[in-house]
């Protein structure tokens, strides 16, 4: 790290990822960013590759306006390209005939770490708001922090949390049981204490512009000395009584 700072100046902060196989550098000076991106070798001759982080250099916001309902995502992307908008995704909702219909709400991906207070379409001023993703949950094992494609656990029933025992389309008649908090509800319940904790961790991640693992550490530190497991058990105990 000292070699990096000799080449590009003092780094605001840094942390390792993927078991120390790489480092994330936090800088705010644009000139320093360009110096780092151009850096191929350290002073001692060590070859390095420095790129923009795959997630921490973008943020998302939400816009909602009936003035946007008839505009395509491609047209809106072209309209907002000067505001560093790199992706426009329209929210749709199911219809009674099994199809999908457009809504007036869109999720925007912006290259940068802050969102604009508003955007314009012609003379129309449209306010933005922060987008908070839902907690990452695996629909195979029902646990948080990974997705089904990376899950190595056995599939469980989404209602009772036992080994998968109902065919697709059928309904489990066992009492609801959450494997994350041991409460009397399905693992998908929005009232689950574990879900609320994961939602708060996601809020910290978005608002502080940090990785998910960092956000979890910050949450645990903020709630120390009570551990994650104890928080869930205490919340569950409250529910059961």
């Amino acid at each position: 790290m000292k070699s990096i700072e000799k080449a590009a100046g003092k780094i605001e902060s840094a942390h390792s990822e993927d078991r120390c196989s790489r480092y994330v550098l936090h800088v705010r000076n644009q000139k320093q960013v360009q110096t780092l991106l151009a850096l191929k070798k350290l002073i001692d001759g060590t070859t390095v590759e420095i790129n923009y982080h795959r997630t921490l250099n973008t943020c998302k916001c939400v816009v909602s306006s009936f003035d946007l309902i008839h505009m395509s995502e491609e047209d809106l992307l072209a309209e907002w390209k000067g505001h560093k908008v790199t992706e426009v995704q329209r929210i749709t909702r199911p219809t009674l005939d099994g199809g999908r219909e457009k809504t007036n709400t869109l999720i925007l991906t912006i290259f940068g770490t802050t969102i604009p207070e508003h955007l314009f379409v012609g003379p129309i001023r449209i306010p933005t708001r922060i987008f908070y993703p839902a907690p990452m949950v695996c629909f195979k094992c029902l646990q948080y922090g990974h997705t089904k494609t990376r899950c190595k656990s056995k599939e469980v029933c989404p209602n009772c949390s036992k080994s998968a025992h109902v065919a697709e389309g059928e309904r489990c008649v066992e009492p609801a049981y959450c494997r994350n908090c041991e409460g009397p509800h399905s693992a998908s319940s929005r009232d689950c204490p574990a879900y609320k904790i994961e939602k708060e961790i996601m809020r910290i991640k978005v608002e502080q512009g940090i990785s998910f693992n960092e956000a979890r550490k910050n949450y645990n530190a903020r709630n120390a000395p009570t551990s994650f497991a104890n928080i869930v058990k205490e919340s569950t105990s409250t529910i059961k009584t």
Side-chain angles (χ1 to χ4, degrees), residues 88-108:
V88 177
Q89 179 186 0
R90 186 180 296 277
I91 301 299
T92 61
R93 60 190 172 202
T95 58
L96 294 177
D97 61 3
R100 308 286 301 182
E101 66 176 1
K102 297 192 300 184
T103 70
N104 66 332
T105 300
L106 302 106
I107 300 172
L108 312 182

Side-chain angles (χ1 to χ4, degrees), residues 4-64:
I4 287 279
E5 292 188 332
K6 283 183 179 180
K10 187 171 179 60
I11 303 299
E12 183 172 318
S13 64
H15 67 269
S16 63
E17 281 190 344
D18 296 339
R19 298 181 180 180
C20 297
S21 63
R22 63 183 179 182
Y23 285 86
V24 177
L25 309 177
H26 297 258
V27 297
R28 297 186 184 276
N29 184 298
Q30 186 60 34
K31 184 178 179 180
Q32 194 175 31
V33 171
Q34 298 307 317
T35 300
L36 287 168
L37 291 174
L39 191 63
K40 303 302 179 184
K41 284 187 178 182
L42 300 181
I43 295 174
D44 63 1
T46 303
T47 301
V48 294
E49 182 179 357
I50 300 179
N51 299 300
Y52 284 113
H53 193 278
R54 63 183 182 274
T55 60
L56 297 181
N57 287 295
T58 61
C59 55
K60 292 180 183 287
C61 66
V62 180
V63 293
S64 296

